[in-house]
Amino acid sequence: MYRTHTCGELRLSDVNKQVTLAGWVQRSRKMGGMTFIDLRDRYGLTQLVFNEEVDASLCEQANRLGREFVIQVKGTVNERFSKNPNLPTGEIEIIVSELNVLNAALTPPFTIEDNTDGGDDIRMKYRYLDLRRSAVRKNLELRHKMTIEVRKYLDEQGFIEVETPILVGSTPEGARDFVVPSRMNPGQFYALPQSPQTLKQLLMVSGFDRYFQIAKCFRDEDLRADRQPEFTQIDCEMSFVEQDDIINLFEGMAKYLFKTIRGVELTEPFLRMPWAEAMKYYGSDKPDLRFGMKFVELMDIMKGHGFSVFDSAAYIGGICAEGAAHYTRKQLDQLTDFVKRPQIGAKGMVYARIEADGNVKSSVDKFYTQEVLQQMKEAFGAKPGDLILILSGEDAMKTRKQLCELRLEMGNQLGLRDKNKFALLWVVDFPMFEWSDEEGRLMAMHHPFTHPKEEDIPLLDTDPAAVRADAYDMVCNGIEVGGGSIRIHDAKLQAKMFEILGFTPERAQEQFGFLMNAFKYGAPPHGGLAYGLDRWVSIFAGLDSIRDCIAFPKNNSGRDVMLDAPGTLDQKQLDELNLVIDLKQE
Amino acid sequence: MYRTHTCGELRLSDVNKQVTLAGWVQRSRKMGGMTFIDLRDRYGLTQLVFNEEVDASLCEQANRLGREFVIQVKGTVNERFSKNPNLPTGEIEIIVSELNVLNAALTPPFTIEDNTDGGDDIRMKYRYLDLRRSAVRKNLELRHKMTIEVRKYLDEQGFIEVETPILVGSTPEGARDFVVPSRMNPGQFYALPQSPQTLKQLLMVSGFDRYFQIAKCFRDEDLRADRQPEFTQIDCEMSFVEQDDIINLFEGMAKYLFKTIRGVELTEPFLRMPWAEAMKYYGSDKPDLRFGMKFVELMDIMKGHGFSVFDSAAYIGGICAEGAAHYTRKQLDQLTDFVKRPQIGAKGMVYARIEADGNVKSSVDKFYTQEVLQQMKEAFGAKPGDLILILSGEDAMKTRKQLCELRLEMGNQLGLRDKNKFALLWVVDFPMFEWSDEEGRLMAMHHPFTHPKEEDIPLLDTDPAAVRADAYDMVCNGIEVGGGSIRIHDAKLQAKMFEILGFTPERAQEQFGFLMNAFKYGAPPHGGLAYGLDRWVSIFAGLDSIRDCIAFPKNNSGRDVMLDAPGTLDQKQLDELNLVIDLKQE
């Protein structure tokens, strides 16, 4: 060992001990004949003291140390004259008697401080230096702690962690697969799993009863902000259960984690909101319930009064921002610009202030009598000082999604989205299918193995688009942290599902034959759920992005700029794989 | 929930309870008017009883159930008349009042019993059925338990588990990489990691101090028996440590696991055997120390007596098999055939029995006087009734490896390799390099980041082949379960190492630049170790093969025969990846 103690552990009770420490030079200060160095390791900072009068050459040596040099020192623990109450080791310092430079260091390209001067690109390139910053390292410590607690909870609930393979077969439904050419099987490819979905279902057929895995998953998608080509799921599956059993067990896990990791007691059962209600009242299948501003529909009240925009609308709805009547014309114009941005796509916004006397002053006063406006006010339950914001459109669902964006923006502007407040709920009763304009067919909203709600099964033949699924998402603060479903365990129902999804029996057999065949040998009723670990850690860590809870993330082009990967292959490697690169297809 | 209890939990104290169970039909017997069914789940077996006289139609229903049907039953717990002491639930049975078939099952292609009638191929194809057998499932339960305990131990020792990426850059040293074409970076490829080696070293540069990961690793090798293209490592790295610190900590982990998982107390410190000694006395860098038969060299005694085979040999050595003098001529001929097999490659074998009167009777009596043979006997410390087996050859190292095979075979034949006995040791002081005839250069025996022994550093310039490394393997029962080394943390020493390994500075920079650059910013002294989890589980489970402690293993052609992977890609997928398959190169 190069040390007797870490840089985070010495206290007043250690005074006069002879110790050896090792770590990185965080900073150094020269004051008169004294040199002070903060020595850093993962565990903390300890102040080192060199006195020119006591040992001039040692002090001279210390003065030559640069930032981030790796050193080992021997010395005596001493009580500090001016204590630092912000530091656990702030009551002591080390009077150094011996100094060994273990490794010199170039000056880092950015400062290794919580508030660094490094931009995103340079920090990604030198990720190994960025990870020295305690602000980043703490996220990974939290991630470690969370996985320890997740495993503890699930182990105690009788779950077995089973590793499923990374080199699997390609599955066409869902996102694009990453593929791996097989040298031993020329012309053939493995795929990397988008999730262990089918394998965990096979484990249920095997009678594993309760499975989990903290599993790497891979999707070759065009990366939107805050997506990673590889990500981690807490993947779970249970047999002989119904939806309630799964929801209860994993609600228990969420509460356990909030308590052990964040010290937050969530005592109430989580709200369970049907998908249709979430869309109707929040325009989102992952509503942020840290604040209100529930949508109010205004078709009955506002339609047919000569305001052509509303008169032709398929949907008119709004939100009431409490106490925001002070918004200036400029602020309201900015909100209008916000909803008109192409990413949101509204045509305009109507607003109305509730004045001190209860009168409503709106941007469409010339079309509406105060009586109608008062009816509107009642619909919102609005009070003097409140601000009502209204959107309309020809497509109800699209307009609701626009209104959702406006609601979230207002939540941000009014400071209602506190990172230390947690609003969890389950969204349930998802539609089984959604129409894809691109594919010209119904697609599985979750995946093709999702069980329809028992009472909706007859609709599969008559009105498949109306079928609801035994599917559920856990939502925290407007973010989907996990989701799952009861699976189909009946081979006939599964075959019908593939038929609705436009698979020929041959193609279904080719792609999912192994699963459908397995089901013929005695599949139990089963269901499960998967949490996005990266996302969940980021919520616990109070981060906006998942990137900083991943040790070595990739950028938006899927590159690891530190490793400079991906890269080119030798011709020999390509030959062994029977591959030719043909960039002309670009 | 489809059940109130599992099939493993009901006892005499539950008699008269109304219960609901669910599971698979293990077997059914009809005796007179009674039908008995063993219902199975992961937790055990419970006997169900149907009585024709009580409910004929229910009994008739039960009689129609086939093996592996999935059923749910309701009924009353009853004390059994004839109890089964071998079954935890053997004192009770369920008098069934209601039976629901949850899923029918085709007759499985092999019996779901501990001793199945299924061959390897069919069991791999129907792996989901094979996993129903408790003999297989128990291995995966053990694996789960081991990873839980490993994480517990390392967490308590201050290690942080950090996930490193699966999509990384290609590293040329070592085995062949699996590669992944990048659609977003046309013509470029990711590689799957052969191990997180360089990334964990970067984490040490980052100051993570103690890292571990239970990590998937990938090697595209021609698969020898009992190798898998993807396998799992317990991967660890520590900073500010010397070899002893690492050895002590992981010896502690091994002892902890043997105690918690197997109930075996290993109280003595593990032997530390230099590599040169392991080769000299056991012909192997992973000696099986469950038994003796240490090699004895006989060059001084046996050379120069006119037996031309020995007279021309560069090595003569043998083992003494205690009490094996009863071996017949036929058995000895079989041993000779064994060592002459092409995989072993010896030219022949000399044997000598120690007779009851102490005389030595050998197969080369005509060349040696009894006096010389007695000297030989002394060298072995052989007693009457012992059998001495001798090999010779022109290449000492090759002959030692042949003698190693003979020793292990004798260990097997004499029953000295008990699976419930555990002999652990560290092999240390490995050579830094080994000569590769294929490459015509020195290769790193462990990997290019291994630190040479301090006192051997001067030899790097004069006699690199003689340099020993700060490298160590943990060996259990003749199997390497883990290994590691102190790493080079000095950029100059690392550059010299690459030079000796035949890298131009440009190529070293291209391949390992990110690591060498990182080291310039303050790398701490560090080292680590990795255990092969699959192998370790197989030892704890008493298995000969790693395959049955992997849920979904691949066969020797790297195929998953259950998933039928790898497979072909659509033309569209190939186009998107800018790839053309060219099988003519075969």
Side-chain angles (χ1 to χ4, degrees):
Chain A
M1 273 298 203
Y2 283 75
R3 65 190 176 205
T4 56
H5 296 77
T6 70
C7 295
E9 78 180 293
L10 293 168
R11 299 287 183 274
L12 257 190
S13 55
D14 297 304
V15 163
N16 290 329
K17 274 190 192 154
Q18 293 296 310
V19 298
T20 307
L21 298 185
W24 286 261
V25 172
Q26 175 74 24
R27 63 182 79 85
S28 85
R29 305 182 296 291
K30 220 169 126 56
M31 294 172 71
M34 308 286 279
T35 297
F36 297 94
I37 286 179
D38 284 345
L39 190 66
R40 186 195 71 234
D41 65 12
R42 184 183 118 199
Y43 311 94
L45 284 176
T46 297
Q47 178 165 292
L48 311 178
V49 185
F50 301 82
N51 188 333
E52 205 174 54
E53 285 182 19
V54 174
D55 189 336
S57 104
L58 188 68
C59 196
E60 171 56 26
Q61 231 188 311
N63 289 335
R64 281 198 304 267
L65 294 174
R67 272 201 288 145
E68 301 302 319
F69 272 46
V70 184
I71 62 171
Q72 180 191 43
V73 294
K74 299 186 182 189
T76 312
V77 183
N78 187 46
E79 180 169 0
R80 254 160 98 160
F81 177 71
S82 75
K83 300 193 169 50
N84 180 347
N86 300 319
L87 218 56
T89 60
E91 297 192 303
I92 58 95
E93 62 193 2
I94 310 296
I95 309 293
V96 177
S97 56
E98 190 185 325
L99 166 65
N100 299 310
V101 176
L102 298 175
N103 228 334
L106 297 179
T107 305
F110 50 87
T111 57
I112 312 294
E113 303 276 359
D114 281 3
N115 288 311
T116 181
D117 55 358
D120 269 5
D121 290 348
I122 193 108
R123 287 173 46 218
M124 287 282 271
K125 177 155 197 258
Y126 295 91
R127 183 67 168 173
Y128 46 86
L129 296 180
D130 200 29
L131 289 170
R132 283 188 189 165
R133 299 193 306 121
S134 66
V136 182
R137 200 195 55 241
K138 276 186 198 321
N139 300 328
L140 292 166
E141 288 174 348
L142 177 76
R143 184 185 182 106
H144 164 67
K145 188 159 182 235
M146 273 192 69
T147 57
I148 289 275
E149 295 297 344
V150 165
R151 287 191 165 98
K152 191 173 160 207
Y153 182 87
L154 293 174
D155 180 54
E156 280 168 6
Q157 298 287 334
F159 285 77
I160 304 178
E161 185 163 24
V162 180
E163 278 181 69
T164 54
I166 296 290
L167 297 171
V168 296
S170 196
T171 48
E173 194 75 348
R176 225 181 255 109
D177 287 321
F178 282 105
V179 296
V180 179
S182 168
R183 185 180 51 86
M184 292 174 76
N185 300 276
Q188 301 196 328
F189 291 77
Y190 301 99
L192 305 182
Q194 295 185 30
S195 85
Q197 182 63 37
T198 52
L199 291 162
K200 71 177 175 178
Q201 293 194 246
L202 289 178
L203 287 173
M204 293 304 104
V205 174
S206 298
F208 270 60
D209 206 75
R210 295 185 165 203
Y211 143 94
F212 84 103
Q213 184 182 193
I214 300 189
K216 258 302 163 67
C217 305
F218 304 85
R219 283 182 201 167
D220 183 14
E221 295 175 308
D222 297 318
L223 300 174
R224 285 181 276 156
D226 218 26
R227 288 271 186 114
Q228 288 280 320
E230 54 179 302
F231 55 98
T232 306
Q233 271 184 202
I234 305 169
D235 190 51
C236 308
E237 197 79 4
M238 302 168 78
S239 288
F240 301 115
V241 289
E242 289 156 311
Q243 177 167 312
D244 267 8
D245 304 312
I246 297 177
I247 283 186
N248 288 337
L249 193 138
F250 287 97
E251 188 167 316
M253 183 166 98
K255 287 176 174 174
Y256 174 79
L257 291 174
F258 269 100
K259 191 171 168 193
T260 51
I261 307 280
R262 287 285 312 226
V264 172
E265 294 253 19
L266 301 169
T267 48
E268 296 297 308
F270 297 176
L271 189 68
R272 297 190 194 177
M273 186 182 287
W275 177 87
E277 196 178 304
M279 296 310 294
K280 183 174 163 71
Y281 292 118
Y282 300 96
S284 167
D285 57 6
K286 37 182 189 285
D288 185 346
L289 297 193
R290 279 175 297 184
F291 64 105
M293 293 195 215
K294 213 166 153 176
F295 295 0
V296 172
E297 286 193 16
L298 303 167
M299 291 285 280
D300 291 347
I301 298 170
M302 304 294 277
K303 213 172 164 146
H305 294 268
F307 179 40
S308 65
V309 173
F310 281 4
D311 288 353
S312 66
Y315 177 87
I316 310 167
I319 55 175
C320 173
E322 249 185 279
H326 59 77
Y327 261 52
T328 62
R329 179 63 194 256
K330 190 176 165 203
Q331 284 175 300
L332 290 163
D333 285 349
Q334 281 167 348
L335 282 181
T336 305
D337 290 345
F338 173 82
V339 295
K340 285 168 83 174
R341 290 188 313 163
Q343 306 94 299
I344 298 183
K347 295 250 170 67
M349 183 186 80
V350 167
Y351 61 83
R353 296 190 184 90
I354 317 296
E355 302 191 317
D357 58 7
N359 273 341
V360 177
K361 186 89 193 87
S362 86
S363 56
V364 287
D365 275 358
K366 61 178 165 179
F367 299 107
Y368 294 96
T369 62
Q370 187 60 225
E371 193 190 344
V372 173
L373 294 174
Q374 286 296 327
Q375 282 175 28
M376 178 192 78
K377 183 179 94 173
E378 293 306 317
F380 283 102
K383 305 177 308 300
D386 290 353
L387 175 69
I388 289 169
L389 302 171
I390 301 170
L391 297 185
S392 65
E394 285 155 29
D395 178 321
M397 214 40 121
K398 277 190 188 156
T399 311
R400 284 192 185 104
K401 286 178 183 169
Q402 294 160 357
L403 192 53
C404 168
E405 297 293 337
L406 179 62
R407 174 178 175 271
L408 294 175
E409 175 62 19
M410 286 307 292
N412 286 337
Q413 292 193 9
L414 299 174
L416 302 172
R417 304 182 75 190
D418 179 355
K419 276 185 189 150
N420 291 309
K421 188 175 164 184
F422 300 100
L424 285 109
L425 76 153
W426 293 97
V427 176
V428 297
D429 298 351
F430 275 81
M432 189 74 211
F433 306 103
E434 58 188 342
W435 179 260
S436 162
D437 285 337
E438 200 183 323
E439 300 269 332
R441 64 175 175 97
L442 289 177
M443 306 275 283
M445 195 160 198
H446 275 72
H447 53 63
F449 316 111
T450 306
H451 199 282
K453 280 186 94 69
E454 209 62 44
E455 64 261 41
D456 289 358
I457 289 182
L459 292 174
L460 283 173
D461 292 315
T462 55
D463 185 8
V467 174
R468 293 165 303 160
D470 280 334
Y472 33 83
D473 278 358
M474 186 187 275
V475 174
C476 177
N477 293 0
I479 293 162
E480 179 207 323
V481 289
S485 64
I486 298 295
R487 327 298 183 186
I488 297 168
H489 65 278
D490 176 68
K492 278 196 210 103
L493 184 57
Q494 186 66 66
K496 176 181 284 264
M497 205 55 65
F498 282 131
E499 190 193 320
I500 294 172
L501 290 171
F503 284 76
T504 61
E506 294 71 30
R507 203 167 139 241
Q509 186 60 36
E510 188 189 318
Q511 303 289 0
F512 298 107
F514 64 95
L515 189 65
M516 292 199 294
N517 289 341
F519 279 14
K520 292 177 189 156
Y521 290 96
H526 61 287
L529 165 148
Y531 285 104
L533 176 65
D534 309 297
R535 177 63 57 204
W536 219 6
V537 174
S538 76
I539 291 174
F540 275 82
L543 295 171
D544 292 318
S545 159
I546 60 170
R547 219 181 250 185
D548 271 346
C549 35
I550 296 172
F552 299 106
K554 294 187 174 55
N555 72 10
N556 281 346
S557 322
R559 291 199 72 80
D560 184 322
V561 293
M562 178 190 72
L563 297 176
D564 197 20
T568 53
L569 294 189
D570 291 347
Q571 189 57 45
K572 188 181 157 214
Q573 280 175 287
L574 289 170
D575 290 347
E576 281 185 335
L577 296 170
N578 303 288
L579 289 180
V580 174
I581 293 173
D582 180 9
L583 294 181
K584 282 169 298 185
Q585 295 166 8
E586 276 295 281
Chain B
M1 271 299 203
Y2 283 74
R3 65 189 176 207
T4 55
H5 296 78
T6 70
C7 294
E9 79 181 292
L10 293 168
R11 298 287 182 275
L12 258 190
S13 55
D14 298 303
V15 163
N16 291 329
K17 274 190 192 155
Q18 293 296 312
V19 298
T20 306
L21 299 186
W24 286 262
V25 173
Q26 175 75 24
R27 64 183 78 83
S28 83
R29 304 182 296 290
K30 220 170 127 58
M31 294 172 71
M34 308 287 280
T35 297
F36 298 94
I37 286 179
D38 285 345
L39 189 66
R40 185 194 72 233
D41 65 12
R42 183 183 119 199
Y43 311 95
L45 284 176
T46 297
Q47 179 167 290
L48 311 178
V49 185
F50 301 81
N51 188 335
E52 208 174 53
E53 286 183 19
V54 176
D55 189 336
S57 103
L58 188 68
C59 197
E60 171 55 26
Q61 230 187 311
N63 290 336
R64 280 198 304 268
L65 294 173
R67 273 202 288 144
E68 301 303 320
F69 273 47
V70 185
I71 62 171
Q72 180 191 45
V73 293
K74 298 184 184 193
T76 312
V77 183
N78 187 45
E79 181 168 0
R80 253 160 99 160
F81 178 70
S82 78
K83 300 193 170 53
N84 179 348
N86 301 318
L87 217 56
T89 60
E91 297 191 303
I92 59 95
E93 61 194 4
I94 311 295
I95 309 293
V96 176
S97 56
E98 188 184 326
L99 165 65
N100 299 310
V101 176
L102 300 175
N103 229 333
L106 298 179
T107 305
F110 52 87
T111 57
I112 312 294
E113 303 276 359
D114 281 4
N115 289 310
T116 182
D117 55 357
D120 271 4
D121 289 348
I122 194 111
R123 287 173 45 218
M124 287 282 272
K125 177 155 195 247
Y126 295 91
R127 182 67 170 174
Y128 45 86
L129 297 180
D130 200 29
L131 289 170
R132 283 189 190 164
R133 299 193 305 121
S134 66
V136 181
R137 200 196 54 241
K138 276 187 197 319
N139 300 329
L140 292 166
E141 289 174 346
L142 176 77
R143 185 185 181 109
H144 164 68
K145 187 155 184 240
M146 273 193 69
T147 58
I148 290 274
E149 295 296 344
V150 164
R151 287 191 164 98
K152 190 173 161 208
Y153 182 87
L154 292 174
D155 180 54
E156 280 168 5
Q157 298 286 333
F159 285 76
I160 303 178
E161 184 162 26
V162 180
E163 277 181 69
T164 55
I166 297 289
L167 298 171
V168 296
S170 197
T171 50
E173 194 73 350
R176 226 182 253 107
D177 288 321
F178 282 106
V179 296
V180 180
S182 167
R183 185 180 51 86
M184 291 175 76
N185 300 274
Q188 301 196 329
F189 291 77
Y190 301 98
L192 305 182
Q194 296 186 30
S195 86
Q197 182 63 36
T198 52
L199 291 163
K200 71 177 173 176
Q201 292 193 246
L202 289 178
L203 287 173
M204 293 304 106
V205 174
S206 298
F208 270 59
D209 207 72
R210 295 185 164 203
Y211 143 93
F212 84 102
Q213 184 181 191
I214 299 189
K216 258 305 164 65
C217 305
F218 304 85
R219 283 183 202 167
D220 183 13
E221 295 175 307
D222 297 317
L223 299 175
R224 284 182 278 156
D226 218 24
R227 287 273 186 112
Q228 288 281 321
E230 53 180 303
F231 56 96
T232 305
Q233 271 184 201
I234 306 169
D235 190 52
C236 307
E237 197 80 4
M238 304 169 76
S239 288
F240 301 116
V241 289
E242 289 154 312
Q243 177 167 313
D244 267 9
D245 303 312
I246 296 177
I247 282 186
N248 289 337
L249 192 137
F250 288 97
E251 188 167 317
M253 183 167 97
K255 287 176 174 174
Y256 173 78
L257 291 174
F258 270 99
K259 191 172 167 192
T260 52
I261 307 282
R262 288 284 313 223
V264 173
E265 294 253 19
L266 302 169
T267 48
E268 295 297 306
F270 297 175
L271 189 68
R272 299 190 194 177
M273 186 183 288
W275 177 87
E277 197 178 302
M279 296 310 294
K280 184 175 163 74
Y281 292 118
Y282 300 96
S284 167
D285 56 6
K286 38 182 189 285
D288 185 346
L289 298 192
R290 280 175 295 184
F291 64 106
M293 293 194 214
K294 211 167 155 176
F295 296 179
V296 172
E297 286 194 15
L298 302 166
M299 292 285 280
D300 291 348
I301 298 169
M302 303 295 277
K303 210 170 168 150
H305 294 269
F307 178 43
S308 66
V309 173
F310 282 4
D311 288 354
S312 67
Y315 177 87
I316 311 166
I319 54 174
C320 174
E322 250 185 279
H326 59 78
Y327 262 53
T328 63
R329 179 62 193 257
K330 191 176 163 201
Q331 284 176 299
L332 289 163
D333 284 349
Q334 281 169 345
L335 282 180
T336 304
D337 290 345
F338 173 82
V339 296
K340 284 167 85 173
R341 290 189 311 167
Q343 306 96 299
I344 299 183
K347 295 253 170 63
M349 183 187 78
V350 166
Y351 60 85
R353 296 188 183 91
I354 317 299
E355 303 190 317
D357 58 6
N359 272 343
V360 177
K361 187 88 192 91
S362 86
S363 58
V364 288
D365 275 359
K366 62 177 166 179
F367 300 107
Y368 294 95
T369 63
Q370 189 61 223
E371 193 190 343
V372 173
L373 293 175
Q374 287 295 325
Q375 282 174 30
M376 180 193 77
K377 183 179 94 173
E378 293 306 317
F380 283 103
K383 304 175 309 298
D386 291 352
L387 174 70
I388 289 168
L389 303 171
I390 301 170
L391 298 183
S392 67
E394 285 156 27
D395 178 321
M397 213 44 119
K398 277 190 188 158
T399 311
R400 284 192 185 103
K401 287 177 182 168
Q402 293 159 359
L403 192 54
C404 167
E405 297 293 337
L406 180 60
R407 175 178 174 271
L408 294 175
E409 175 62 19
M410 286 307 293
N412 285 337
Q413 293 193 9
L414 300 174
L416 301 173
R417 303 183 75 188
D418 178 357
K419 277 184 188 152
N420 291 310
K421 190 175 162 185
F422 300 100
L424 286 110
L425 76 154
W426 293 96
V427 175
V428 297
D429 298 351
F430 275 80
M432 189 74 211
F433 306 104
E434 58 188 344
W435 179 259
S436 162
D437 284 338
E438 199 183 323
E439 299 270 332
R441 63 175 176 98
L442 288 177
M443 305 275 283
M445 195 160 196
H446 275 70
H447 53 62
F449 316 112
T450 307
H451 199 282
K453 282 186 93 70
E454 208 63 43
E455 63 261 41
D456 289 359
I457 288 183
L459 292 174
L460 283 173
D461 292 315
T462 56
D463 185 9
V467 173
R468 292 165 304 161
D470 280 335
Y472 34 82
D473 277 358
M474 186 188 274
V475 174
C476 176
N477 293 0
I479 293 162
E480 180 207 321
V481 288
S485 63
I486 298 296
R487 327 299 183 184
I488 297 168
H489 64 278
D490 177 68
K492 279 197 207 100
L493 184 57
Q494 186 66 66
K496 177 182 284 261
M497 205 57 63
F498 282 131
E499 190 192 320
I500 294 171
L501 291 170
F503 284 75
T504 60
E506 293 71 30
R507 206 171 135 237
Q509 185 61 37
E510 190 189 317
Q511 305 287 359
F512 298 108
F514 64 96
L515 189 66
M516 293 200 294
N517 290 341
F519 279 14
K520 292 177 189 156
Y521 290 96
H526 63 287
L529 165 147
Y531 284 103
L533 176 65
D534 310 296
R535 177 63 59 203
W536 220 7
V537 174
S538 75
I539 291 174
F540 275 81
L543 296 170
D544 292 319
S545 158
I546 60 170
R547 220 180 250 185
D548 272 346
C549 36
I550 296 172
F552 300 104
K554 292 186 175 58
N555 73 8
N556 281 346
S557 322
R559 291 199 72 81
D560 185 320
V561 292
M562 179 190 73
L563 297 177
D564 196 21
T568 53
L569 294 188
D570 291 348
Q571 189 58 46
K572 186 178 159 221
Q573 279 176 289
L574 289 170
D575 290 347
E576 281 185 334
L577 297 171
N578 303 288
L579 289 181
V580 173
I581 293 173
D582 180 8
L583 294 180
K584 281 169 296 183
Q585 294 165 11
E586 275 296 279

